[in-house]
Amino acid sequence: MNNIIDDLKFQYKIGGIANKMIYWNVGAFLVSIIFFYQFKLGFFAYPDWLAVSSEPSAVLTKPWTLLSYAFLHYGFMHLFFNMMVLNFASRLFLTFFTQKQYIGVYLLSAIFAGLCFVLSFYILHKSSSMVGASAAIMALLVATTTYQPLMNIRLLLIGNVKLWHITAVLLILDLLQIQIDNTGGHIAHLSGAFFGYIYIKLLQSGTDLSRIVSSFIEFFVSLFNKKKSTPFKRVHVNPKKPTIRKESKIVAKDKTQQQIDEILDKISKSGYDSLTAEEKEFLFKAGK
């Protein structure tokens, strides 16, 4: 068991943003089972502070639900299918774009699709709530398709097809089922797809919407990583005392010895009688 956990940790650490996004979705699903799954009734009951509500007032008071809903799912099959398509769309998207752009498209498309869901249900006079990563996944897929529609994709049992063929099939299925079942979900899918298309068109004209998310994340991180300013400390410095230059005893001693040496050298050359009276007196005092 420990080996499996260690392997998962290692895969998360070395994996890119696509792997991490799948981990975050799966992790949120596992946590939601503990807190929100009704085992007796057999379904999830997400509170209105996690699932995005179709009521505008609920979104205004809980705006974070426009993001939190995009990491939650109603069941295992819902999660499994979304993660399969997310893995597929992520690999394609990251072939051409950066990880920062990936995060930007995922989060911004989730917000955009959530707002479209709220607006459409308000117009239709319907009330419901929604969770799921499908809108963000469709945004990634359509963004890549818009940028590289003729990219060849090899499908099992089918062979090579163009990327736009796969995307077109998924969009047509959403359009056909929009009035049959899960109306809010299909509206979100189409909204996410529309955002992916607009994102690429703006990017090609020089506007990268993902910079909005990057700037916000950098600002948010800087608030927590901001170093605390060092408090001002008053340092007391003792005033320097005027220095009194005193002749060193060692220096004085050296001078005396030097003079004695000079007198002794004179004696050795010319004799004692060659000394002056002052030199004789100095030598006498030094001898004491």
Short mmCIF file of all heavy atoms in Angstrom, two decimals, residues 10-48:
data_model
loop_
_atom_site.label_atom_id
_atom_site.label_comp_id
_atom_site.label_asym_id
_atom_site.label_seq_id
_atom_site.Cartn_x
_atom_site.Cartn_y
_atom_site.Cartn_z
N PHE A 10 5.16 10.27 -6.45
CA PHE A 10 6.24 10.49 -7.40
C PHE A 10 5.69 10.92 -8.76
O PHE A 10 6.22 11.84 -9.38
CB PHE A 10 7.07 9.21 -7.54
CG PHE A 10 8.21 9.33 -8.51
CD1 PHE A 10 9.34 10.06 -8.19
CD2 PHE A 10 8.14 8.71 -9.76
CE1 PHE A 10 10.39 10.17 -9.08
CE2 PHE A 10 9.18 8.82 -10.65
CZ PHE A 10 10.32 9.56 -10.32
N GLN A 11 4.62 10.26 -9.19
CA GLN A 11 4.00 10.62 -10.47
C GLN A 11 3.44 12.03 -10.44
O GLN A 11 3.52 12.77 -11.44
CB GLN A 11 2.88 9.62 -10.81
CG GLN A 11 3.37 8.22 -11.15
CD GLN A 11 4.24 8.18 -12.39
OE1 GLN A 11 4.06 8.96 -13.31
NE2 GLN A 11 5.22 7.29 -12.40
N TYR A 12 2.88 12.41 -9.30
CA TYR A 12 2.35 13.78 -9.17
C TYR A 12 3.48 14.80 -9.23
O TYR A 12 3.36 15.85 -9.85
CB TYR A 12 1.60 13.92 -7.86
CG TYR A 12 1.06 15.31 -7.61
CD1 TYR A 12 -0.15 15.72 -8.15
CD2 TYR A 12 1.78 16.22 -6.84
CE1 TYR A 12 -0.64 17.00 -7.93
CE2 TYR A 12 1.30 17.51 -6.62
CZ TYR A 12 0.09 17.88 -7.16
OH TYR A 12 -0.38 19.15 -6.96
N LYS A 13 4.61 14.45 -8.58
CA LYS A 13 5.73 15.38 -8.50
C LYS A 13 6.38 15.61 -9.85
O LYS A 13 6.71 16.75 -10.22
CB LYS A 13 6.76 14.85 -7.50
CG LYS A 13 7.91 15.81 -7.23
CD LYS A 13 8.85 15.26 -6.17
CE LYS A 13 9.98 16.24 -5.89
NZ LYS A 13 10.91 15.72 -4.84
N ILE A 14 6.56 14.53 -10.63
CA ILE A 14 7.26 14.66 -11.91
C ILE A 14 6.31 14.98 -13.06
O ILE A 14 6.75 15.39 -14.14
CB ILE A 14 8.05 13.38 -12.24
CG1 ILE A 14 7.09 12.19 -12.47
CG2 ILE A 14 9.05 13.06 -11.16
CD1 ILE A 14 7.77 10.95 -12.98
N GLY A 15 5.00 14.78 -12.85
CA GLY A 15 4.03 15.01 -13.91
C GLY A 15 3.82 16.50 -14.17
O GLY A 15 4.08 17.35 -13.32
N GLY A 16 3.34 16.80 -15.36
CA GLY A 16 3.06 18.17 -15.72
C GLY A 16 1.71 18.62 -15.21
O GLY A 16 1.07 17.95 -14.39
N ILE A 17 1.25 19.76 -15.71
CA ILE A 17 0.00 20.33 -15.25
C ILE A 17 -1.20 19.45 -15.61
O ILE A 17 -2.20 19.43 -14.89
CB ILE A 17 -0.18 21.75 -15.84
CG1 ILE A 17 -1.39 22.44 -15.21
CG2 ILE A 17 -0.29 21.70 -17.36
CD1 ILE A 17 -1.32 22.62 -13.72
N ALA A 18 -1.10 18.70 -16.71
CA ALA A 18 -2.20 17.81 -17.10
C ALA A 18 -2.41 16.72 -16.05
O ALA A 18 -3.54 16.43 -15.64
CB ALA A 18 -1.93 17.20 -18.47
N ASN A 19 -1.30 16.10 -15.61
CA ASN A 19 -1.40 15.08 -14.57
C ASN A 19 -1.93 15.67 -13.27
O ASN A 19 -2.76 15.06 -12.58
CB ASN A 19 -0.03 14.46 -14.32
CG ASN A 19 0.36 13.46 -15.39
OD1 ASN A 19 -0.42 13.18 -16.30
ND2 ASN A 19 1.56 12.92 -15.31
N LYS A 20 -1.44 16.84 -12.93
CA LYS A 20 -1.88 17.47 -11.68
C LYS A 20 -3.37 17.80 -11.72
O LYS A 20 -4.07 17.67 -10.72
CB LYS A 20 -1.06 18.74 -11.42
CG LYS A 20 0.38 18.46 -11.00
CD LYS A 20 1.15 19.75 -10.76
CE LYS A 20 2.52 19.49 -10.15
NZ LYS A 20 3.37 18.67 -11.00
N MET A 21 -3.86 18.24 -12.87
CA MET A 21 -5.28 18.57 -12.99
C MET A 21 -6.14 17.32 -12.78
O MET A 21 -7.20 17.38 -12.13
CB MET A 21 -5.56 19.19 -14.35
CG MET A 21 -6.94 19.84 -14.46
SD MET A 21 -7.13 21.26 -13.33
CE MET A 21 -6.09 22.48 -14.13
N ILE A 22 -5.70 16.19 -13.31
CA ILE A 22 -6.42 14.94 -13.10
C ILE A 22 -6.38 14.54 -11.63
O ILE A 22 -7.38 14.12 -11.04
CB ILE A 22 -5.84 13.83 -13.99
CG1 ILE A 22 -6.11 14.15 -15.47
CG2 ILE A 22 -6.43 12.47 -13.63
CD1 ILE A 22 -5.47 13.18 -16.44
N TYR A 23 -5.21 14.69 -11.02
CA TYR A 23 -5.07 14.38 -9.59
C TYR A 23 -6.01 15.24 -8.75
O TYR A 23 -6.63 14.77 -7.79
CB TYR A 23 -3.63 14.59 -9.14
CG TYR A 23 -2.74 13.38 -9.29
CD1 TYR A 23 -2.32 12.95 -10.54
CD2 TYR A 23 -2.30 12.66 -8.18
CE1 TYR A 23 -1.50 11.85 -10.69
CE2 TYR A 23 -1.47 11.56 -8.30
CZ TYR A 23 -1.08 11.15 -9.57
OH TYR A 23 -0.26 10.05 -9.70
N TRP A 24 -6.08 16.54 -9.08
CA TRP A 24 -6.94 17.45 -8.32
C TRP A 24 -8.41 17.05 -8.44
O TRP A 24 -9.16 17.08 -7.46
CB TRP A 24 -6.76 18.88 -8.79
CG TRP A 24 -5.38 19.42 -8.54
CD1 TRP A 24 -4.46 18.95 -7.63
CD2 TRP A 24 -4.74 20.51 -9.21
NE1 TRP A 24 -3.30 19.67 -7.70
CE2 TRP A 24 -3.43 20.64 -8.65
CE3 TRP A 24 -5.13 21.38 -10.22
CZ2 TRP A 24 -2.53 21.60 -9.08
CZ3 TRP A 24 -4.23 22.36 -10.64
CH2 TRP A 24 -2.95 22.47 -10.07
N ASN A 25 -8.82 16.67 -9.63
CA ASN A 25 -10.21 16.26 -9.83
C ASN A 25 -10.52 14.95 -9.11
O ASN A 25 -11.56 14.83 -8.46
CB ASN A 25 -10.49 16.10 -11.33
CG ASN A 25 -10.87 17.40 -12.01
OD1 ASN A 25 -12.01 17.82 -12.01
ND2 ASN A 25 -9.87 18.06 -12.59
N VAL A 26 -9.61 14.00 -9.22
CA VAL A 26 -9.82 12.71 -8.53
C VAL A 26 -9.78 12.91 -7.02
O VAL A 26 -10.59 12.33 -6.28
CB VAL A 26 -8.75 11.69 -8.97
CG1 VAL A 26 -8.85 10.41 -8.14
CG2 VAL A 26 -8.91 11.36 -10.46
N GLY A 27 -8.85 13.73 -6.54
CA GLY A 27 -8.76 13.99 -5.11
C GLY A 27 -10.02 14.65 -4.57
O GLY A 27 -10.53 14.28 -3.50
N ALA A 28 -10.54 15.63 -5.32
CA ALA A 28 -11.78 16.30 -4.91
C ALA A 28 -12.95 15.31 -4.89
O ALA A 28 -13.82 15.39 -4.01
CB ALA A 28 -12.09 17.46 -5.85
N PHE A 29 -12.96 14.38 -5.83
CA PHE A 29 -14.04 13.38 -5.88
C PHE A 29 -13.97 12.46 -4.67
O PHE A 29 -15.01 12.15 -4.05
CB PHE A 29 -13.92 12.56 -7.17
CG PHE A 29 -14.96 11.49 -7.30
CD1 PHE A 29 -16.27 11.79 -7.64
CD2 PHE A 29 -14.63 10.16 -7.08
CE1 PHE A 29 -17.22 10.80 -7.76
CE2 PHE A 29 -15.57 9.16 -7.20
CZ PHE A 29 -16.88 9.48 -7.54
N LEU A 30 -12.78 12.02 -4.31
CA LEU A 30 -12.63 11.12 -3.16
C LEU A 30 -13.04 11.81 -1.86
O LEU A 30 -13.70 11.20 -1.00
CB LEU A 30 -11.18 10.64 -3.05
CG LEU A 30 -10.68 9.75 -4.22
CD1 LEU A 30 -9.21 9.42 -4.04
CD2 LEU A 30 -11.52 8.48 -4.33
N VAL A 31 -12.67 13.07 -1.73
CA VAL A 31 -13.07 13.82 -0.53
C VAL A 31 -14.58 14.03 -0.51
O VAL A 31 -15.22 13.93 0.55
CB VAL A 31 -12.34 15.18 -0.48
CG1 VAL A 31 -12.88 16.04 0.66
CG2 VAL A 31 -10.84 14.97 -0.31
N SER A 32 -15.16 14.29 -1.67
CA SER A 32 -16.61 14.53 -1.74
C SER A 32 -17.41 13.28 -1.39
O SER A 32 -18.54 13.39 -0.90
CB SER A 32 -17.00 15.04 -3.13
OG SER A 32 -16.75 14.04 -4.11
N ILE A 33 -16.85 12.10 -1.63
CA ILE A 33 -17.54 10.85 -1.25
C ILE A 33 -17.75 10.82 0.26
O ILE A 33 -18.81 10.43 0.76
CB ILE A 33 -16.74 9.62 -1.72
CG1 ILE A 33 -16.75 9.53 -3.24
CG2 ILE A 33 -17.31 8.34 -1.11
CD1 ILE A 33 -15.91 8.39 -3.79
N ILE A 34 -16.72 11.24 0.99
CA ILE A 34 -16.79 11.19 2.45
C ILE A 34 -17.82 12.17 3.00
O ILE A 34 -18.58 11.85 3.91
CB ILE A 34 -15.40 11.50 3.04
CG1 ILE A 34 -14.37 10.48 2.55
CG2 ILE A 34 -15.45 11.54 4.57
CD1 ILE A 34 -12.94 10.80 2.95
N PHE A 35 -17.88 13.36 2.42
CA PHE A 35 -18.70 14.41 3.01
C PHE A 35 -20.07 14.60 2.34
O PHE A 35 -21.01 15.04 3.02
CB PHE A 35 -17.94 15.74 2.97
CG PHE A 35 -16.72 15.78 3.84
CD1 PHE A 35 -15.46 15.60 3.30
CD2 PHE A 35 -16.84 15.97 5.21
CE1 PHE A 35 -14.33 15.63 4.10
CE2 PHE A 35 -15.72 16.00 6.03
CZ PHE A 35 -14.46 15.82 5.48
N PHE A 36 -20.19 14.28 1.06
CA PHE A 36 -21.41 14.67 0.35
C PHE A 36 -22.17 13.52 -0.32
O PHE A 36 -23.24 13.75 -0.88
CB PHE A 36 -21.07 15.72 -0.72
CG PHE A 36 -20.31 16.88 -0.18
CD1 PHE A 36 -19.02 17.16 -0.64
CD2 PHE A 36 -20.85 17.71 0.79
CE1 PHE A 36 -18.30 18.22 -0.13
CE2 PHE A 36 -20.13 18.78 1.30
CZ PHE A 36 -18.86 19.04 0.84
N TYR A 37 -21.63 12.30 -0.25
CA TYR A 37 -22.35 11.20 -0.89
C TYR A 37 -23.40 10.63 0.07
O TYR A 37 -23.09 10.30 1.22
CB TYR A 37 -21.38 10.09 -1.31
CG TYR A 37 -22.05 9.01 -2.14
CD1 TYR A 37 -22.42 9.27 -3.45
CD2 TYR A 37 -22.31 7.76 -1.60
CE1 TYR A 37 -23.04 8.29 -4.22
CE2 TYR A 37 -22.92 6.78 -2.36
CZ TYR A 37 -23.28 7.06 -3.67
OH TYR A 37 -23.90 6.09 -4.42
N GLN A 38 -24.63 10.55 -0.42
CA GLN A 38 -25.73 10.00 0.38
C GLN A 38 -25.81 8.50 0.11
O GLN A 38 -26.38 8.06 -0.89
CB GLN A 38 -27.04 10.69 0.01
CG GLN A 38 -27.01 12.20 0.13
CD GLN A 38 -26.79 12.65 1.56
OE1 GLN A 38 -27.40 12.14 2.49
NE2 GLN A 38 -25.91 13.63 1.73
N PHE A 39 -25.20 7.71 0.98
CA PHE A 39 -25.09 6.27 0.74
C PHE A 39 -26.47 5.58 0.72
O PHE A 39 -26.69 4.64 -0.03
CB PHE A 39 -24.20 5.63 1.80
CG PHE A 39 -22.75 5.99 1.65
CD1 PHE A 39 -22.21 7.07 2.33
CD2 PHE A 39 -21.92 5.25 0.82
CE1 PHE A 39 -20.87 7.40 2.19
CE2 PHE A 39 -20.58 5.58 0.67
CZ PHE A 39 -20.06 6.67 1.36
N LYS A 40 -27.38 6.05 1.53
CA LYS A 40 -28.72 5.44 1.56
C LYS A 40 -29.50 5.74 0.29
O LYS A 40 -30.27 4.90 -0.20
CB LYS A 40 -29.48 5.94 2.78
CG LYS A 40 -28.91 5.45 4.11
CD LYS A 40 -29.76 5.93 5.27
CE LYS A 40 -29.21 5.43 6.60
NZ LYS A 40 -30.03 5.90 7.74
N LEU A 41 -29.30 6.94 -0.24
CA LEU A 41 -30.05 7.35 -1.43
C LEU A 41 -29.28 7.07 -2.72
O LEU A 41 -29.88 7.00 -3.80
CB LEU A 41 -30.40 8.84 -1.34
CG LEU A 41 -31.23 9.24 -0.11
CD1 LEU A 41 -31.43 10.75 -0.07
CD2 LEU A 41 -32.58 8.52 -0.11
N GLY A 42 -27.97 6.95 -2.61
CA GLY A 42 -27.16 6.60 -3.78
C GLY A 42 -26.84 7.75 -4.72
O GLY A 42 -26.70 7.53 -5.93
N PHE A 43 -26.68 8.95 -4.19
CA PHE A 43 -26.27 10.07 -5.06
C PHE A 43 -25.55 11.12 -4.22
O PHE A 43 -25.60 11.11 -2.98
CB PHE A 43 -27.47 10.69 -5.78
CG PHE A 43 -28.50 11.29 -4.86
CD1 PHE A 43 -28.37 12.60 -4.39
CD2 PHE A 43 -29.61 10.56 -4.45
CE1 PHE A 43 -29.30 13.15 -3.53
CE2 PHE A 43 -30.55 11.11 -3.59
CZ PHE A 43 -30.40 12.40 -3.14
N PHE A 44 -24.90 12.05 -4.93
CA PHE A 44 -24.20 13.15 -4.27
C PHE A 44 -25.15 14.31 -4.01
O PHE A 44 -25.99 14.63 -4.86
CB PHE A 44 -23.04 13.65 -5.13
CG PHE A 44 -21.83 12.76 -5.12
CD1 PHE A 44 -21.70 11.74 -6.05
CD2 PHE A 44 -20.83 12.95 -4.18
CE1 PHE A 44 -20.58 10.93 -6.05
CE2 PHE A 44 -19.71 12.13 -4.17
CZ PHE A 44 -19.58 11.11 -5.10
N ALA A 45 -25.02 14.91 -2.86
CA ALA A 45 -25.80 16.09 -2.52
C ALA A 45 -24.82 17.22 -2.19
O ALA A 45 -24.44 17.41 -1.03
CB ALA A 45 -26.72 15.81 -1.33
N TYR A 46 -24.42 17.93 -3.23
CA TYR A 46 -23.45 19.01 -3.03
C TYR A 46 -24.15 20.25 -2.48
O TYR A 46 -25.22 20.64 -2.97
CB TYR A 46 -22.75 19.35 -4.33
CG TYR A 46 -21.77 18.29 -4.79
CD1 TYR A 46 -22.07 17.46 -5.87
CD2 TYR A 46 -20.55 18.13 -4.14
CE1 TYR A 46 -21.18 16.49 -6.30
CE2 TYR A 46 -19.65 17.16 -4.56
CZ TYR A 46 -19.97 16.35 -5.64
OH TYR A 46 -19.08 15.38 -6.05
N PRO A 47 -23.54 20.92 -1.51
CA PRO A 47 -24.13 22.16 -0.97
C PRO A 47 -23.98 23.31 -1.95
O PRO A 47 -23.16 23.25 -2.88
CB PRO A 47 -23.31 22.41 0.31
CG PRO A 47 -22.00 21.74 0.05
CD PRO A 47 -22.30 20.53 -0.79
N ASP A 48 -24.75 24.37 -1.74
CA ASP A 48 -24.73 25.49 -2.68
C ASP A 48 -23.48 26.35 -2.56
O ASP A 48 -23.29 27.28 -3.34
CB ASP A 48 -25.97 26.37 -2.48
CG ASP A 48 -26.04 26.97 -1.08
OD1 ASP A 48 -25.16 26.63 -0.24
OD2 ASP A 48 -26.96 27.75 -0.81
#
